[in-house]
Amino acid sequence: MKAGVRGNSLPPGCRLVASRTIGEQRIYHLQLENGLQLLVWEDSQSPVAAYQTWFRVGSGHEQPTRSGMAHLFEHLMFKETKKRKAGEFDRILETNGIETNAATSLDWTYYKENLPSQHLALVMELEADRMQNMILSQSQLDTERDVVKNERLLRVDNDPDGKTQEVMYHMHFGRHPYGHPTIGWMKDILAITLDDCLEFHRRYYAPDNALIAVCGDVQVQQVAALAHRYYGPIPRGTGAPQPRLRRHVPKGLYKQMALPVTMGKVQLLYEGPNAGHADTTVFRILSELLWGAESSLLREQLLHRQQLVTDVMAYHAPFRLAGAIEFQLNLAPDVTHETAFVALQQSLREFVAKGVTEKELEGAKNRVEMGYHRSLLPVGSRARGLGHWQTTLGDWRQLTQILQRLGGVTAQQCVSCVQRYLLDAKPTRIDVMPSGAEVAE
Amino acid sequence: MRQYHVLNQSMGFVATSWSFPAGSSLDPPGLEGLAHLSAELALRGTARKSREELARELEFLGCSPAVEVGVESAHFGFECPTRYLQQLADLLHEVFLEPTYDQEELARLKRQLFGEMAELKDNDSAASNLFFGQALYAGDPYGHPIRGYQKSVERISVDDIRAFRQAHYARHRLLLGVAGTCEQSEFNQRFETVLGHFPQGQAVELPALLPHAVDGLDVLLVTRPGRTQAQVTIGQRAVPGNSPYFTPLRLATVGFGGTFTAPLVREIREKRGWSYGVSASLLAGRRSGSFKMRFAPKNSDVLPAIKLSLKMLNALVQSGPTEKNLQFTKRFLVQQYPFLVETPLARLDQMLHIAATGKPADYLETYCERVQAVTVPSALEAVQTVLSPGRQTIVVLGDPSLERPLAKLAGVGRFRTLSVEWDQDVPR
């Protein structure tokens, strides 16, 4: 059995917060004096590691009139530092076979490297460098703004589904922190200044607003020593303001949009449980029972039996401040939007009336279990799970407790959640019509 | 049958992959989409179970069946916790050996397929890919959409599907992959009722690919009015996976546009901000392959970006990669190797891909040596033998206003315009 780490085997200024054993592997939660948190999942099965730097800042932290800042800044992080010229960061990583990328969401921004594990020190030195020594210039901002404008054209302005989703979140959340798009409104992207970027970096890119998730062929003492060396000297920030958790009351708004699509669609957004709410586990099961599997209720009813749609997709997104349950119904020819929507509601009512059998529940749990095991095979997915849960909820153990929580979900809970979140609520709804169709005002 | 097995005692589940060389390139003329429908119908019921019963029983085991049809092959993926392996074997016996060819289920499947085809056309990137494949292999079975055309799909009958399955889903054509917590002997024993009873089938003769006969740039504008940004794909046919030119050409391509710091990406994205995504890639199958450059600039940048990428491609073919660039690419690929085999599923995917594309059996074990063996002269020979900058196929999906500038592009041998709505089978 592998020996665990003790507080006195860590470098000074680095403390062990918690640890947990999973099979023959171990996860450690450490913290430096400057507030930087480290999550280390040791696994020596393959000579690789995933290294991820998570910041507690996403588009939900922006003012609604300054949208797109977190995302544009993510692009700028790959530019220049006091030590390294523009482009050098990527070049050094790629020369060593290290893949790098980043992503911004509503609650967080993260930067990732997939590396051959012998390059851990190199990656930590480079990441610590850009956390504290970043340099920005107007020309870099201008070029990267053009790239982001193109990204917006690609993902939103020339993509009917992207466009609909942007409008739907805005209708649903209004002036709530989730009401503006992560990529930003085009006018806001154009208005971002160099000073905005510098202020954003100063406010949010500090060690006490960040955490490092490392998974793979590494030793916790090694990670701690390198963190102490490279990140230890970075001073704490001045405090990163976090948006308050507040009750959001959706108004059940409705809109029609004419877009260049071949077939009509119904897009729905219901308020769902947010991250950490006990009902999020129930929705993992419900996603299998209602829409995720070929034999799920809505695919069986709307797609196969009634043939009202050519596809039905849905997704539960448990963000930090609020949850969203999205549906997309792609209409079959000659089926009206209202017919499909009414059929969806009718199917959900029948689900509540009939209930869930023990066998259906067991099958759904089996599928979630399979998905969970499969998703945790690559080191990158595990690091992402640790980083996501710790950043969103301050509780990385959520990742390791999923199956345990799942076991406790009952058929009655499934029925109650459908009633409460989907039948008793009025969704935000957009009916997408093919261009040329008549759109009601 | 060829079988590949990756044992891993800690996974707790077993993933299986069943592939047949039964892709869309085997669709008979006029029945485009047959390979795709044949594979999809396989999971729509058996002689003993309805579609719904089969789905319920497979999904109870934790299995989310995957069906994927490409130009060269049809693939089925099934996985389940090891404790359910025998139940999975029993169900797959029915799926592969007791098929049903239900008229009603086929009609329902076709209706869903038409919806999928429409959805695909609504997405610029997916539609652009579709038209590029058709332009690159115009008139050849490699070129038509994998899902077929609306008219050809309408023509396909259950008898067509029965005949296709009997000819192509045969034991000697099966490529079986297994990864997970199960010894190969135990797997074979549990699946004996499937593996031991597959029909033998017959040898399938494949016609030679038709040449791409346009002299000069072959430009196709696919119009979607109102678009402010275009999807651009520039490329040509390249080499199959077993070609001696494959590895040197791959290194030249990765060094040219396969990383964030590659010259093509640097010039189009980093220096000019013309496109969010930029890439050059090399794909290789068993019989053919393709080289592609892709980017998505706003309308006013489309022509400059095409001209610049063609100029850069020309320079690559004239001189090959520089020594510095080649050394960088070698180091990048060799150091990336552990990720190719990071998990049991990743290793199995590599093994199956190597087998399907006809690469040497020791390709995975000798991958790093093969990469290291590439020299500037061998890369230059590969790009000069395979790539023809003046005979690229260029597909632009965007606003009709792009027609005039594109038609004036220097070196155009053929220029065509099609609406994105276009969907019809062309008589050969």
Side-chain angles (χ1 to χ4, degrees):
Chain A
M1 188 178 153
K2 193 183 284 185
V5 67
R6 287 203 303 260
N8 60 10
S9 64
L10 296 172
C14 181
R15 74 183 176 93
L16 178 67
V17 180
S19 68
R20 171 162 293 199
T21 302
I22 296 183
E24 293 185 354
Q25 299 169 11
R26 205 157 171 85
I27 305 173
Y28 299 92
H29 182 189
L30 313 176
Q31 189 164 31
L32 300 188
E33 277 180 345
N34 60 12
L36 181 71
Q37 297 182 69
L38 300 155
L39 292 165
V40 184
W41 187 328
E42 292 179 340
D43 173 7
S44 58
Q45 288 185 80
S46 188
V48 297
Y51 189 91
Q52 300 181 357
T53 309
W54 291 71
F55 291 97
R56 272 178 292 272
V57 60
S59 58
H61 294 69
E62 299 161 346
Q63 294 299 313
T65 54
R66 312 291 268 181
S67 66
M69 183 70 235
H71 173 255
L72 176 60
F73 192 82
E74 173 223 298
H75 280 238
L76 293 169
M77 276 288 278
F78 290 86
K79 299 297 180 184
E80 202 174 342
T81 72
K82 289 174 192 166
K83 287 187 185 171
R84 294 185 173 87
K85 290 184 290 187
E88 225 176 297
F89 176 86
D90 280 336
R91 195 67 177 175
I92 293 170
L93 291 177
E94 289 181 346
T95 302
N96 289 287
I98 301 165
E99 275 188 341
T100 178
N101 215 325
T104 307
S105 184
L106 304 179
D107 300 320
W108 43 251
T109 305
Y110 88 105
Y111 300 83
K112 65 174 181 178
E113 283 88 23
N114 288 334
L115 57 135
S117 50
Q118 77 264 25
H119 296 311
L120 179 67
L122 172 71
V123 168
M124 292 183 77
E125 199 268 316
L126 286 166
E127 282 292 2
D129 179 39
R130 69 173 173 173
M131 187 188 282
Q132 64 181 326
N133 295 322
M134 188 185 181
I135 293 177
L136 288 176
S137 71
Q138 187 62 46
S139 65
Q140 283 167 358
L141 172 60
D142 291 342
T143 310
E144 212 51 43
R145 193 199 316 270
D146 282 345
V147 171
V148 170
K149 281 157 58 185
N150 271 309
E151 185 179 353
R152 194 191 144 82
L153 291 179
L154 184 79
R155 294 193 196 277
V156 182
D157 299 325
N158 289 280
D159 178 1
D161 286 345
K163 184 91 197 154
T164 313
Q165 200 189 40
E166 180 176 278
V167 172
M168 192 164 65
Y169 267 69
H170 189 53
M171 283 167 63
H172 186 82
F173 284 109
R175 292 190 66 77
H176 182 278
Y178 296 163
H180 57 270
T182 297
I183 198 163
W185 304 112
M186 190 62 101
K187 68 175 173 45
D188 291 349
I189 296 171
L190 295 171
I192 290 170
T193 67
L194 197 58
D195 284 345
D196 292 335
C197 297
L198 293 169
E199 171 60 17
F200 186 85
H201 182 245
R202 189 190 61 73
R203 183 175 293 181
Y204 292 109
Y205 278 62
D208 48 328
N209 196 44
L211 75 91
I212 309 292
V214 196
C215 178
D217 185 22
V218 298
Q219 297 291 316
V220 66
Q221 288 91 348
Q222 170 199 21
V223 175
L226 290 167
H228 177 66
R229 185 193 311 168
Y230 294 121
Y231 292 93
I234 307 176
R236 279 177 177 271
T238 51
Q242 298 293 322
R244 281 183 300 117
L245 191 63
R246 62 190 194 199
R247 176 98 180 97
H248 168 245
V249 185
K251 298 186 180 75
L253 297 177
Y254 171 75
K255 186 184 179 76
Q256 291 182 352
M257 289 174 74
L259 291 170
V261 292
T262 316
M263 309 301 293
K265 293 178 186 183
V266 180
Q267 297 270 5
L268 303 165
L269 202 161
Y270 292 84
E271 192 82 352
N274 65 331
H277 193 294
D279 289 343
T280 55
T281 313
V282 182
F283 266 91
R284 278 182 177 254
I285 299 289
L286 280 173
S287 69
E288 294 297 328
L289 292 172
L290 294 182
W291 60 73
E294 202 51 41
S295 63
S296 61
L297 175 86
L298 297 177
R299 291 191 76 76
E300 191 53 43
Q301 285 294 333
L302 306 185
L303 180 70
H304 296 302
R305 288 196 193 162
Q306 301 178 46
Q307 299 179 48
L308 298 173
V309 301
T310 57
D311 205 356
V312 51
M313 291 168 276
Y315 180 64
H316 170 226
F319 302 115
R320 190 171 78 86
L321 304 178
I325 306 162
E326 297 175 46
F327 287 87
Q328 179 175 316
L329 310 178
N330 293 357
L331 304 184
D334 304 322
V335 173
T336 67
H337 295 76
E338 189 61 16
T339 303
F341 176 63
V342 168
L344 167 77
Q345 289 188 310
Q346 183 57 33
S347 298
L348 295 174
R349 273 194 286 273
E350 284 170 17
F351 177 85
V352 168
K354 281 173 63 181
V356 181
T357 66
E358 280 309 311
K359 186 158 188 194
E360 286 168 338
L361 190 64
E362 191 183 343
K365 288 180 181 178
N366 284 339
R367 290 194 293 284
V368 178
E369 179 195 332
M370 271 300 305
Y372 176 77
H373 286 313
R374 188 175 179 130
S375 74
L376 289 189
L377 285 176
V379 287
S381 309
R382 274 179 276 167
R384 194 178 188 284
L386 292 176
H388 170 80
W389 287 113
Q390 185 65 17
T391 307
T392 309
L393 283 182
D395 184 10
W396 56 271
R397 279 164 292 212
Q398 295 267 342
L399 178 70
T400 62
Q401 294 166 351
I402 287 171
L403 293 184
Q404 193 187 335
R405 285 165 196 260
L406 206 66
V409 173
T410 65
Q412 184 51 45
Q413 283 177 305
C414 293
V415 168
S416 302
C417 279
V418 169
Q419 182 68 48
R420 181 152 28 111
Y421 290 100
L422 300 176
L423 287 173
D424 293 346
K426 201 171 174 195
T428 300
R429 171 175 160 188
I430 296 178
D431 288 351
V432 178
M433 323 283 198
S435 299
E438 194 174 322
V439 175
E441 288 302 318
Chain B
M1 180 182 85
R2 288 172 295 165
Q3 183 173 359
Y4 295 85
H5 198 101
V6 180
L7 175 67
N8 182 291
Q9 295 293 10
S10 64
M11 267 169 58
F13 69 94
V14 180
T16 69
S17 166
W18 306 67
S19 291
F20 302 91
S24 62
S25 58
L26 292 177
D27 291 341
L31 296 179
E32 290 83 1
L34 176 59
H36 181 261
L37 270 185
S38 300
E40 289 283 345
L41 198 66
L43 288 177
R44 298 279 176 137
T46 68
R48 284 187 271 168
K49 290 186 176 67
S50 69
R51 174 196 49 73
E52 189 185 356
E53 287 165 342
L54 179 64
R56 274 189 199 289
E57 293 200 17
L58 279 169
E59 288 172 353
F60 175 78
L61 308 180
C63 179
S64 302
V67 182
E68 222 173 287
V69 179
V71 175
E72 293 187 339
S73 65
H75 160 86
F76 300 87
F78 306 93
E79 55 194 16
C80 70
T82 306
R83 64 182 182 272
Y84 290 130
L85 202 56
Q86 188 57 55
Q87 287 95 317
L88 180 65
D90 295 342
L91 287 170
L92 294 196
H93 172 90
E94 289 190 48
V95 167
F96 288 119
L97 302 179
E98 298 179 10
T100 184
Y101 300 99
D102 185 84
Q103 289 277 10
E104 206 176 300
E105 205 55 61
L106 177 62
R108 204 178 294 170
L109 177 57
K110 284 183 182 180
R111 275 195 292 273
Q112 288 164 20
L113 186 59
F114 296 145
E116 267 177 43
M117 287 156 79
E119 182 73 10
L120 207 67
K121 285 277 184 82
D122 285 345
N123 179 286
D124 285 5
S125 177
S128 171
N129 254 334
L130 201 66
F131 280 98
F132 184 76
Q134 288 174 265
L136 198 61
Y137 292 98
D140 192 274
Y142 252 64
H144 63 257
I146 288 163
R147 288 174 174 77
Y149 305 98
Q150 175 129 5
K151 284 180 188 164
S152 64
V153 169
E154 279 167 1
R155 278 194 289 267
I156 293 169
S157 68
V158 290
D159 290 338
D160 296 324
I161 291 173
R162 183 183 289 114
F164 188 88
R165 276 192 61 162
Q166 283 169 355
H168 301 296
Y169 287 24
R171 183 181 162 84
H172 76 282
R173 295 167 67 78
L174 172 63
L175 176 59
L176 175 64
V178 182
T181 309
C182 177
E183 299 277 356
Q184 183 166 352
S185 55
E186 185 196 341
F187 181 90
N188 286 0
Q189 195 183 343
R190 288 191 186 277
F191 282 76
E192 166 57 24
T193 56
V194 192
L195 300 174
H197 297 86
F198 250 108
Q200 287 303 318
Q202 292 163 354
V204 176
E205 269 193 41
L206 299 170
L209 288 171
L210 298 173
H212 186 84
V214 177
D215 194 13
L217 298 173
D218 183 9
V219 183
L220 170 64
L221 172 63
V222 182
T223 58
R224 172 127 52 203
R227 284 295 194 256
T228 53
Q229 182 184 52
Q231 293 282 336
V232 180
T233 312
I234 302 174
Q236 64 164 89
R237 297 188 200 180
V239 289
N242 60 4
S243 162
Y245 291 123
F246 173 73
T247 300
L249 190 60
R250 176 152 183 265
L251 265 80
T253 306
V254 171
F256 178 64
T259 71
F260 279 125
T261 60
L264 186 70
V265 183
R266 199 170 59 231
E267 293 297 325
I268 290 186
R269 175 180 156 137
E270 297 301 321
K271 280 194 187 169
R272 295 169 177 84
W274 278 346
S275 177
Y276 167 63
V278 188
S279 65
S281 60
L282 184 72
L283 293 177
R286 178 172 278 274
R287 301 185 64 213
S288 184
S290 61
F291 165 84
K292 272 190 224 179
M293 299 185 283
R294 296 199 75 183
F295 39 87
K298 64 180 190 282
N299 289 347
S300 58
D301 294 332
V302 168
L303 209 62
I306 290 176
K307 284 181 179 171
L308 177 62
S309 56
L310 286 174
K311 187 177 162 193
M312 292 180 70
L313 180 63
N314 201 43
L316 176 72
V317 172
Q318 289 296 316
S319 316
T322 63
E323 183 64 41
K324 193 175 165 192
N325 181 280
L326 185 65
Q327 290 308 324
F328 160 79
T329 309
K330 283 186 188 182
R331 202 163 164 200
F332 175 70
L333 292 176
V334 168
Q335 299 244 5
Q336 279 266 300
Y337 175 77
F339 282 100
L340 295 183
V341 293
E342 181 202 345
T343 66
L345 301 187
R347 179 178 283 275
L348 180 66
D349 277 352
Q350 290 296 327
M351 292 158 78
L352 294 175
H353 180 72
I354 287 164
T357 54
K359 290 191 178 117
D362 65 349
Y363 185 82
L364 198 56
E365 287 71 33
T366 58
Y367 175 86
C368 294
E369 288 91 326
R370 286 169 189 272
V371 168
Q372 292 290 16
V374 176
T375 60
V376 169
S378 68
L380 180 61
E381 185 190 349
V383 292
Q384 290 189 336
T385 307
V386 180
L387 301 182
S388 309
R391 299 186 64 187
Q392 297 292 297
T393 296
I394 303 178
V395 172
V396 178
L397 189 149
D399 191 74
S401 63
L402 294 168
E403 180 170 352
R404 185 174 287 184
L406 282 173
K408 287 183 181 169
L409 194 64
V412 171
R414 177 167 70 166
F415 180 82
R416 293 173 296 157
T417 302
L418 284 176
S419 162
V420 72
E421 311 294 339
W422 182 87
D423 177 83
Q424 65 181 75
D425 40 348
V426 183
R428 295 205 183 87

